[in-house]
């Protein structure tokens, strides 16, 4: 018995039974397609950020420590130890965040000290000019 199909219709996803065979005599098996597990992206090692922290904002050597942990994370990633790489990578991330926040704090502190020192000097010169003790003639 040969199957033919009408134009535009697809064949059914099964084969017809051979004549003289019924469903009761067939083995009951289930085919379950097995898909590979989704590929997990390797953890981040934050190497570029650690390098920048080491070069530009190495407060209390936190940038250097972050660089060390980033390199350890990259080594673990090469060895396919993703849990170790994740641990070292997160430590590097937190060290980078701490170094960045401390650098921002110190920059703001330096700007505030320079501004307050400038205001104090200007007020002192203005006060001396008003008293007439030491006349201020300006830069020569």
């Amino acid at each position: 018995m040969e199957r033919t199909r009408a134009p535009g219709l697809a064949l059914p996803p099964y084969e017809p039974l051979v004549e003289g065979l019924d469903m009761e005599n067939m083995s009951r098996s289930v085919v379950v397609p097995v898909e590979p597990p989704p590929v997990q992206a390797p953890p981040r090692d934050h190497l570029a950020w650690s390098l920048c922290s080491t070069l530009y904002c190495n407060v209390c050597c936190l940038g250097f420590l972050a660089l060390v942990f980033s390199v350890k994370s990259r080594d673990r990633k090469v060895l396919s130890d993703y849990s170790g790489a994740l641990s070292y990578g997160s430590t590097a991330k937190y060290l980078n965040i701490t170094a960045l926040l401390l650098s921002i704090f110190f920059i703001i502190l330096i700007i505030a000290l320079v501004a307050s020192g400038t205001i104090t000097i200007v007020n002192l010169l203005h006060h001396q000019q008003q008293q007439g003790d030491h006349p201020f003639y300006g830069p020569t």
Side-chain angles (χ1 to χ4, degrees):
M1 176 162 134
E2 187 174 324
R3 290 196 296 171
T4 59
R5 64 178 176 158
L9 295 176
L11 290 175
Y14 56 87
E15 292 291 324
L17 290 175
V18 178
E19 290 185 28
L21 204 62
D22 57 354
M23 287 300 292
E24 283 77 30
N25 295 336
M26 298 289 293
S27 65
R28 299 180 190 266
S29 63
V30 177
V31 177
V32 178
V34 178
E35 296 179 11
V39 177
Q40 181 182 5
R44 299 187 61 177
D45 54 14
H46 306 286
L47 186 65
W49 188 10
S50 299
L51 189 60
C52 289
S53 292
T54 302
L55 294 176
Y56 297 115
C57 52
N58 196 13
V59 178
C60 300
C61 294
L62 290 177
F64 179 71
L65 284 174
L67 182 65
V68 168
F69 278 99
S70 293
V71 170
K72 284 184 175 186
S73 174
R74 180 154 293 192
D75 291 344
R76 288 286 148 196
K77 194 166 38 171
V78 167
L79 294 174
S80 298
D81 178 16
Y82 290 138
S83 63
L86 182 66
S87 174
Y88 285 130
S90 66
T91 303
K93 176 181 163 185
Y94 292 128
L95 286 171
N96 281 323
I97 290 172
T98 305
L100 180 65
L101 291 176
L102 284 176
S103 295
I104 290 171
F105 172 74
F106 284 139
I107 288 171
I108 290 173
L109 181 67
I110 289 171
I111 290 172
L113 288 175
V114 167
S116 66
T118 303
I119 291 172
T120 304
I121 289 174
V122 168
N123 284 339
L124 182 65
L125 290 176
H126 182 67
H127 186 288
Q128 285 180 355
Q129 213 175 21
Q130 284 182 350
Q131 286 184 351
D133 295 341
H134 302 285
F136 180 69
Y137 296 113
T140 56

